Amino acid sequence: MRRVRRCTALGGATMLALVCSGAGLPPHLLPGGARSPGTPVTADANPPGTGDSALLASVGFLGAPRHGQARAVAEARAAYAERLEKAEARRVAAAKRWGLRRVPLRAPAPPEKKPKLTTEPGHISGAGLPPVIVSVPTDKKVVFLTIDDGSEKDPRMLEMLRELDVPYSSFLADYVARDDYGYFRKAHRYGSAIQNHSVNHREMPKLTYAQQRTEICRQQDTLEKEIGERPEMFRPPYGAYDRDTLRAAASCGVRVVPLWAEEAFPDRIAYGRADRKFHPGDIILTHFRGKEEWDGDMIGMLRRVLNTVTEQGFAIARLEDYV
Ligand SMILES: [Zn+2]
């Protein structure tokens, strides 16, 4: 579900310049267009299934423009603008319906080249080991939402994040997710990436290498079977790991070990830094938890996260687009 908008993707024809300039569209509907942080109930660009490629595909245009195509291009552009407006109207309505103070900001287009990841200082690194990160190197005002474990399976949460078109990654532990992988298949269909959080949620450094390998690699196999994609990220339970964890994870296809910079709860956000603010590229951790485990529910927790992220001028981007 990657969305890449790139004006040069289909060549440098004159028409592309026309399309990319977005002539005739209001500024807030231009791809990557003007956006003021925290603007209440206004729209932003880049709804699903739109973009220059979609526009060009709908015109059937390849190569240099010809005379008779001008009208088709104009019509396609009008249809494109209409789709953008409708998609944004839906997000505005969804923000209201879910009780948000502001419409979440749209993330900018993902980087053409993923940034080079380096292990966070103070963490274990070495040749052949996946980097351990708490944030992603970027100067864009984006943060990433990751949701762990999987005990609470609130169908409203899936709808909320889909309607608002907010990307997130689910790190699943089999012992709580296994009673209903159907829920997470639905989350995946709705756009969530599915990543590995072990079979039994054990504290990895207390296990032997072989046990760690079973905890990690068996969950790789389970998720590949249940979801249809093999995860590339593993998050150790409690953030606890040792060199064996990284070796074991690498041995069954894990490329990156993301920890987190902030943790979100229904009643607060725990910041990893003294300034109590999000920083570009930060990874936010939260959990699939319900009222029995939390003094609140996932909807309230997400409301808090989205309101706070937006108020600080950030958009939630898709971790897999950067990592
Ligand atoms: Zn966990």
Side-chain angles (χ1 to χ4, degrees), residues 148-149 171 173 175 197 201 235-239 285 287 289:
D148 279 15
D149 301 348
F171 286 77
Y175 83 115
H197 194 44
H201 210 272
R235 172 176 285 155
Y238 318 103
L285 162 69
H287 292 87
R289 281 184 190 155

Side-chain angles (χ1 to χ4, degrees), residues 132-276:
V132 179
I133 59 170
V134 303
S135 62
V136 173
T138 177
D139 52 10
K140 294 184 176 163
K141 288 199 82 176
V142 294
V143 290
F144 305 98
L145 179 61
T146 63
I147 312 181
D148 279 15
D149 301 348
S151 59
E152 176 73 6
K153 300 168 186 75
D154 185 342
R156 293 174 308 154
M157 194 214 85
L158 302 187
E159 300 300 334
M160 179 183 187
L161 292 175
R162 179 161 95 147
E163 288 174 15
L164 293 165
D165 200 17
V166 169
Y168 61 104
S169 309
S170 306
F171 286 77
L172 302 184
D174 184 63
Y175 83 115
V176 282
R178 69 166 72 112
D179 64 2
D180 188 7
Y181 271 116
Y183 176 86
F184 298 104
R185 274 192 290 276
K186 188 171 182 183
H188 186 246
R189 275 203 308 280
Y190 280 11
S192 169
I194 306 291
Q195 304 290 0
N196 185 341
H197 194 44
S198 83
V199 177
N200 292 302
H201 210 272
R202 305 280 301 279
E203 217 175 304
M204 291 288 145
K206 291 187 174 162
L207 306 181
T208 65
Y209 173 78
Q211 288 170 327
Q212 292 201 39
R213 197 166 185 283
T214 303
E215 278 290 321
I216 300 167
C217 300
R218 191 173 287 169
Q219 183 64 345
Q220 288 285 91
D221 296 341
T222 298
L223 291 175
E224 185 172 7
K225 185 174 125 258
E226 293 287 351
I227 307 296
E229 270 175 31
R230 193 166 181 85
E232 295 193 325
M233 299 185 206
F234 169 69
R235 172 176 285 155
Y238 318 103
Y241 73 97
D242 59 15
R243 188 170 292 271
D244 279 351
T245 316
L246 303 183
R247 281 176 53 222
S251 78
C252 51
V254 169
R255 286 194 303 109
V256 183
V257 172
L259 302 182
W260 58 91
E262 287 88 22
E263 182 170 357
F265 301 89
D267 61 345
R268 71 195 160 92
I269 291 173
Y271 292 91
R273 302 185 189 82
D275 65 4
R276 296 178 50 76

